[in-house]
Amino acid sequence: MGRMRMLREANGQAVEGFCLVKSAAVRPNVRGVEYLDMVLADCDGECVAKLWDYSAANHGQFEAEDLIKVRGTISLWKESEQLKIDKIRHALPDELDMNCIVPCAPIDPEEVFDELIALAGDFADKNLKAIVQHLYRENRDALLSVPAGVKLHHATRGGLLHHTQAVVRLAQAIAALYPELDKDLLLTGAMLHDIGKLTELNCGALGIATGYTGAGQLLGHITIGANMIAEAAKKLNVPDETATLLCHMLLSHHGSLEFGSPKLPLFPEAEALSVCDLLDSKLYEMFAALESVATGGFSERQWALDNRQLYQHGRKIERE
């Protein structure tokens, strides 16, 4: 995380704005007087904050995922910024621009949801159409906000749909290049490959993943997603062969055993899906790592990208 937008836009040391509570705990100071120890965040970063001489009766009670308005001053503690809170209250719904509070995917989730539902509606295979539309409509509210991960690629509000849209569009391009592929099967796999993340991630209404659920830890989204496919297929009377092909695509979409897939891709559409998924995730991480790197410079080492230092060539595409 970088520096909070609220701090960057501050007038000198004075700060006032809206943010999210990531954590909050009441602690005693050396004199035994209680203070509120918090980590606050907005769309750009996070900061430690303290409310000294805290009183729940006077200030209110706060917990993780609360949306608040604060006023205070910036100071340095052990070379890191810290916010001393002077005033604090819960934010009102009509005061907030969620794009400023939490990192949001650069899409309109409702438009993308409708786009994908309509795309499935054009499938020639009625069984694949039924599975996609059933699972999307059953999970609409979660799909509109859930991220694709806790920390890595597309870990933003609406990130799962953002990633899914990109994988679908890559799959469409590949299907156009290779007519031998079963397009409906490939696109169904693209739309559903990460559906298990709806259960894997511990995610509140704000679209922020704070960790993994019990099922996420024990099974993972690959297995959860395959089970969701199997259950939907049974409910919709989809033939076993079709359901098995889709389950295999989910089980193999990470492409290799070392990355968590229990099976390697064993038919062309499964291979194509794993390539599309990997390409979008890696490009996302590269773009993010290079965003603040000056032309001619190198990023910090990226452990998720084989510990590479990425080069910023600085070339810009000029479009007519």
Side-chain angles (χ1 to χ4, degrees):
M1 295 286 284
R3 193 179 189 221
M4 288 180 71
R5 176 179 295 191
M6 186 174 70
L7 302 188
R8 287 193 290 105
E9 296 177 349
N11 180 18
Q13 290 184 310
V15 174
E16 183 173 349
F18 297 94
C19 56
L20 165 76
V21 177
K22 289 197 72 174
S23 66
V26 178
R27 307 186 193 282
N29 65 15
V30 293
R31 296 180 287 111
V33 179
E34 290 186 338
Y35 71 95
L36 189 58
D37 187 14
M38 311 178 81
V39 176
L40 306 180
D42 61 21
C43 60
D44 290 340
E46 61 184 45
C47 179
V48 171
K50 312 286 186 185
L51 175 55
W52 304 108
D53 297 323
Y54 167 71
S55 163
N58 293 331
H59 299 106
Q61 295 181 310
F62 303 91
E63 58 187 28
E65 295 203 2
D66 281 352
L67 298 170
I68 62 171
K69 184 176 184 180
V70 294
R71 182 187 300 168
T73 54
I74 307 170
S75 61
L76 287 179
W77 173 255
K78 295 183 178 179
E79 300 183 359
S80 295
E81 283 186 316
Q82 180 174 284
L83 180 64
K84 175 182 174 292
I85 298 174
D86 297 320
K87 297 186 92 173
I88 184 172
R89 67 170 173 83
H90 288 94
L92 302 176
D94 59 359
E95 294 180 301
L96 297 170
D97 178 358
M98 290 303 296
N99 287 291
C100 296
I101 302 298
V102 298
C104 294
I107 59 168
D108 182 325
E110 292 194 3
E111 286 185 6
V112 174
F113 181 90
D114 291 343
E115 171 192 325
L116 296 177
I117 281 280
L119 180 61
D122 291 335
F123 287 173
D125 189 313
K126 64 179 183 181
N127 291 306
L128 296 178
K129 169 184 173 179
I131 286 180
V132 171
Q133 294 194 333
H134 169 75
L135 286 173
Y136 267 53
R137 286 171 175 151
E138 285 285 304
N139 296 284
R140 182 180 186 278
D141 290 345
L143 281 166
L144 293 178
S145 63
V146 167
V150 177
K151 290 183 178 180
L152 295 178
H153 74 90
H154 301 84
T156 56
R157 178 181 172 87
L160 179 57
L161 271 186
H162 185 207
H163 171 58
T164 299
Q165 181 190 49
V167 174
V168 167
R169 290 181 175 178
L170 287 169
Q172 287 176 306
I174 288 178
L177 186 60
Y178 296 98
E180 300 91 344
L181 292 169
D182 182 325
K183 183 178 179 181
D184 286 359
L185 181 61
L186 174 56
L187 294 183
T188 300
M191 284 189 244
L192 298 178
H193 76 284
D194 274 347
I195 196 75
K197 289 187 175 182
L198 299 179
T199 299
E200 178 187 47
L201 299 177
N202 191 0
C203 186
L206 295 177
I208 299 172
T210 56
Y212 297 91
T213 63
Q217 292 276 23
L218 294 170
L219 301 176
H221 75 278
I222 291 177
T223 301
I224 293 170
N227 289 341
M228 291 173 71
I229 294 287
E231 290 172 8
K234 184 176 181 180
K235 182 176 182 178
L236 299 168
N237 295 315
V238 171
D240 290 344
E241 169 70 10
T242 301
T244 299
L245 292 175
L246 275 180
C247 286
H248 174 77
M249 293 177 75
L250 266 68
L251 292 171
S252 64
H253 82 265
H254 277 192
S256 66
L257 304 179
E258 65 178 307
F259 293 137
S261 279
K263 296 294 292 183
L264 298 178
L266 297 180
F267 51 84
E269 292 79 8
E271 181 70 24
L273 173 60
S274 71
V275 170
C276 293
D277 180 48
L278 181 63
L279 178 59
D280 183 56
S281 63
K282 287 204 169 187
L283 287 181
Y284 184 98
E285 290 169 9
M286 283 186 158
F287 292 142
L290 289 169
E291 189 173 11
S292 59
V293 178
T295 298
F298 288 84
S299 72
E300 297 294 324
R301 292 192 179 277
Q302 305 297 308
W303 69 267
L305 295 169
D306 305 311
N307 213 30
R308 286 177 278 174
Q309 287 183 281
L310 306 177
Y311 178 65
Q312 176 59 274
H313 54 67
R315 289 171 59 90
K316 304 294 182 184
I317 298 176
E318 294 185 7
R319 302 187 186 276
E320 296 182 357

